[in-house]
Amino acid sequence: MDALLDIVRAMRLTGGVFLEAEFTAPWCISSKIAPEDCRPFTPEPRHIIGFHYITAGRCLLKVDGQKPMVVERGQLIVLPRNDEHVLASTSNLRPVNSHHLIQPGPDGGLARIVYGGGGEPTQILCGFLGSDVPYNAFIALLPNVLKLDAADGASATWIESNFRFAARELAGGRAHSPAILAKLAELLFMEAVRRYFTSQPPLDSSLAAGMRDPIVGRALGLIHGQIARH
């Protein structure tokens, strides 16, 4: 969907992976990416897109107003508007603010959280994408949460291999290029958005229907890609 790719590229996203977390059941945290989390990678963005990639285990994700969502190993969760959310080993636990648990990484490396009751383990990589545009009409059309399964679809191989490569680099302290991780995160976001819109019935999403049209889709891409133009 060329129009969709044009819109996402026009957002000029930057970002990266800033935190690795290891939880053991039972555990429950509340989370929202703060602007200061972005400082090692980029000047504080005016809009933040959050994401979590589950590298081991499973967890529940809860955003206000929605039912809890099960997230398994190899799945990516994207929060287009950086909504505050709860991650937990099971429901009905009192959340702890995740920022109170963050420990600086050794030698200025990736920050870490190690927390929980010693039971079943879950490992998560947390990251962000940022934009200088405080409000984006395209982002406003997306749901609060997008879930991308790296084991599903034609792009499964490159999603799985690239994110696992990033995880190994981070775990070994060898991630010397935040720009590479930022580009990987941007590609994953584009893939999550693409899958969301291609899964929508045309009658349920006028934007998705428009993007499927070769002429209207190109016009939408130009409008969103040059949003400041009269």
Side-chain angles (χ1 to χ4, degrees):
M1 299 173 70
D2 292 341
L4 176 61
L5 299 180
D6 288 344
I7 291 171
V8 176
R9 290 191 191 104
M11 294 171 65
R12 296 187 297 276
L13 297 170
T14 60
V17 176
F18 68 90
L19 174 73
E20 60 178 345
E22 183 174 338
F23 301 107
T24 52
W27 60 274
C28 182
I29 63 162
S30 61
S31 179
K32 182 175 182 177
I33 298 172
E36 54 265 29
D37 295 328
C38 311
R39 287 176 188 158
F41 303 92
T42 181
E44 291 186 9
R46 301 177 71 186
H47 180 83
I48 296 173
I49 299 167
F51 67 84
H52 302 293
Y53 181 71
I54 313 301
T55 59
R58 64 187 295 276
C59 67
L60 293 178
L61 171 79
K62 179 70 169 64
V63 177
D64 283 347
Q66 297 186 3
K67 294 181 179 180
M69 175 186 297
V70 178
V71 192
E72 306 277 357
R73 183 195 70 82
Q75 293 183 330
L76 177 80
I77 291 296
V78 180
L79 299 118
R81 288 176 291 280
N82 192 33
D83 291 302
E84 186 169 359
H85 54 284
V86 171
L87 295 167
S89 58
T90 187
S91 57
N92 303 320
L93 296 174
R94 184 184 297 274
V96 174
N97 190 311
S98 62
H99 280 84
H100 298 160
L101 304 173
I102 296 176
Q103 299 295 323
D107 302 322
L110 197 66
R112 297 201 70 206
I113 290 178
V114 179
Y115 176 70
E120 182 182 0
T122 298
Q123 296 177 347
I124 304 176
L125 290 174
C126 306
F128 77 95
L129 290 166
S131 172
D132 290 335
V133 180
Y135 174 80
N136 185 285
F138 172 69
I139 291 293
L141 294 170
L142 297 175
N144 290 340
V145 179
L146 295 170
K147 182 164 75 169
L148 178 65
D149 192 337
D152 179 37
S155 54
T157 301
W158 74 261
I159 293 175
E160 182 82 22
S161 61
N162 278 282
F163 226 118
R164 289 204 169 278
F165 171 78
R168 288 195 301 270
E169 291 288 290
L170 291 167
R174 297 185 295 273
H176 302 301
S177 179
I180 294 176
L181 294 177
K183 184 56 65 176
L184 173 59
E186 182 181 357
L187 291 171
L188 289 169
F189 172 66
M190 293 170 69
E191 177 66 5
V193 170
R194 184 192 69 81
R195 288 196 194 179
Y196 169 73
F197 277 112
T198 54
S199 69
Q200 299 304 297
L203 294 179
D204 291 347
S205 173
S206 57
L207 180 61
M211 285 182 175
R212 288 189 177 99
D213 185 280
I215 297 175
V216 176
R218 183 60 180 161
L220 286 170
L222 289 170
I223 290 170
H224 285 271
Q226 304 176 42
I227 204 70
R229 181 176 173 183
H230 193 280

